[in-house]
Amino acid sequence: MDSTNLMLERADRGAMPELTAFVAASQTAGQGRLGRTWVSEPGSSISLSLLLRPNDRARKGWLTLMMAASVRATVEQFDPESKPLIKWPNDVLVVERKISGILAKALGDEVVLGVGLNLKSQQGAPETAIALDELGCDASFDEVLFELLTQFRARYAKFQSDAHWAVSDLAAEFREHSPTLGSNVIAMLPGGSQIQGLAIDIDADGNLLIESDVIHTISAADIIHLRN
Ligand code: BTN
């Protein structure tokens, strides 16, 4: 397919139950954040999009971090030594290289939550990418997909029954496993401006708080980690 996200966006979703999953072993037009493309050559990565209907719509912004936490736990499950980390807002990194990317799109009250997880190194991928096989992990597509869905379903079930509780657990998970907090960072904002300062925390909406002369609340940005 061109893109699991696009396929789900175009689909007749009214007839589909929540957590309907579109999965591909390759995409011809994978979409990345900020209009970028996402490389997914045949058999090299999992491309997954889930249809979600969050009960607590005010907290739907947490769903990308929920997926990042699920990917992080999945990678750790297959390689406990790899120490995967979540870079705000939602990249999963191993040895400072990206193993997964997440792209969510809100469609009214529904959310299409897409995730790409690299299984094998790909020729067309950027140098900053890494894949599970480079960690010495040869788990199959189905094994990794099963674990990822299991991790996500557990977090999402909690979110649907008590979003406040689920979100505070997610924030704790992020604080434990993020290289962003406590780092000097540059936030490249979507409008083109930049903010440099110390990333001190995330707030109740999942925004990143950066301290410079004042505390800036960042809802969307590309983050560059500076050496402390
Ligand atoms: C990023 O730029 O980091 C986000 C990449 C998201 C890629 C996934 S692969 C499955 C889903 N379908 C897409 O077209 N994109 C997302």
Side-chain angles (χ1 to χ4, degrees), residues 92-100 126-131 134:
V92 180
L93 306 181
V94 178
V95 288
E96 299 185 19
R97 288 158 70 194
K98 182 162 162 171
I99 199 159
S100 167
E127 274 179 20
T128 48
I130 193 167
E134 293 172 75

Side-chain angles (χ1 to χ4, degrees), residues 2-7 9 22 24 27 29-40 45-49 90-91 98 100-104 112-117:
D2 54 357
S3 145
T4 53
N5 268 24
L6 286 178
M7 192 98 169
E9 283 172 38
F22 280 23
Q27 300 179 117
Q31 296 194 313
R33 286 176 63 228
L34 307 171
R36 297 178 190 130
T37 54
W38 177 260
V39 178
S40 34
S45 64
I46 293 174
S47 297
L48 165 70
S49 298
N90 51 36
D91 287 342
K98 182 162 162 171
S100 167
I102 295 160
L103 182 66
V112 169
L113 181 60
V115 57
L117 174 54

Side-chain angles (χ1 to χ4, degrees), residues 3 9 22 57 65 71-72 148 160-161 166 201 208 214 228:
S3 145
E9 283 172 38
F22 280 23
R57 290 179 206 123
L65 188 57
V71 171
R72 197 210 69 78
L148 176 58
Q160 288 295 61
S161 65
D201 205 358
L208 185 65
V214 292
N228 282 334

Side-chain angles (χ1 to χ4, degrees), residues 4 19-25 45-50 67 70-71 74-75 77-78 113 115-119 132 137 139-153:
T4 53
L19 286 168
T20 293
F22 280 23
V23 186
S45 64
I46 293 174
S47 297
L48 165 70
S49 298
L50 293 173
M67 182 55 87
S70 308
V71 171
T74 298
V75 172
Q77 189 71 26
F78 287 103
L113 181 60
V115 57
L117 174 54
N118 298 332
L119 301 176
L132 273 176
C137 167
S140 71
F141 187 100
D142 286 358
E143 286 169 323
V144 179
L145 178 62
F146 182 84
E147 180 63 28
L148 176 58
L149 288 171
T150 304
Q151 293 284 350
F152 184 81
R153 279 181 74 127

Side-chain angles (χ1 to χ4, degrees), residues 65 68-69 72 84-92 174 177-180:
L65 188 57
R72 197 210 69 78
L85 297 170
I86 306 168
K87 180 184 170 202
W88 190 92
N90 51 36
D91 287 342
V92 180
F174 176 75
H177 299 291
S178 178
T180 307

